[in-house]
Amino acid sequence: MIVSPTRANLIGSADDWFASKGYSRNIVMSVPSFAAAPACIISTGCIAFLPSRILPNPLVRPIQLDDSPPSFDVIATWHLRSNQDPLHKWILSLLQQEFPAQQSANQ
């Protein structure tokens, strides 16, 4: 299973990692969000790379790996017209509090 929020993009950041170990993925399902993945995993028996923040979750069980797949950056973006929106400013302030080392390009 792969998580792809906008479309069924069946190429992921872990493909090179799998290939370096002599494996290729057999993607049988794409889900739009990490939140939707556990219910799909338990009902289909698929496996997926998920962020650790969704654990513990009674629907999934983590598997310990000897070598971790590559990590990826999570990026928040917005249209410039939203810069003055009070809700946008509030959400951005929460993100900046949670991730203080990160810099915003629109600051």
Side-chain angles (χ1 to χ4, degrees):
M1 173 186 304
I2 191 166
V3 177
S4 182
T6 57
R7 60 185 170 89
N9 181 358
L10 302 182
I11 299 170
S13 61
D15 286 324
D16 290 338
W17 182 77
F18 280 115
S20 73
K21 301 191 172 318
Y23 298 113
S24 62
R25 295 190 301 162
N26 178 25
I27 300 169
V28 296
M29 177 183 291
S30 175
V31 295
S33 70
F34 288 116
C40 293
I41 289 169
I42 196 161
S43 66
T44 63
C46 288
I47 62 170
F49 287 123
L50 303 174
S52 60
R53 65 179 160 74
I54 70 164
L55 298 174
N57 185 312
L59 301 179
V60 295
R61 179 174 53 98
I63 300 169
Q64 297 301 318
L65 301 173
D66 294 334
D67 183 26
S68 295
S71 62
F72 56 91
D73 293 329
V74 176
I75 301 169
T77 62
W78 58 89
H79 194 279
L80 289 174
R81 69 176 166 244
S82 300
N83 279 349
Q84 301 308 312
D85 180 85
L87 178 61
H88 170 82
K89 287 182 174 184
W90 175 72
I91 291 171
L92 184 57
S93 73
L94 293 177
L95 289 171
Q96 289 169 333
Q97 288 173 26
E98 186 69 25
F99 306 101
Q102 306 300 314
Q103 295 296 315
S104 171
N106 288 337
Q107 284 185 343

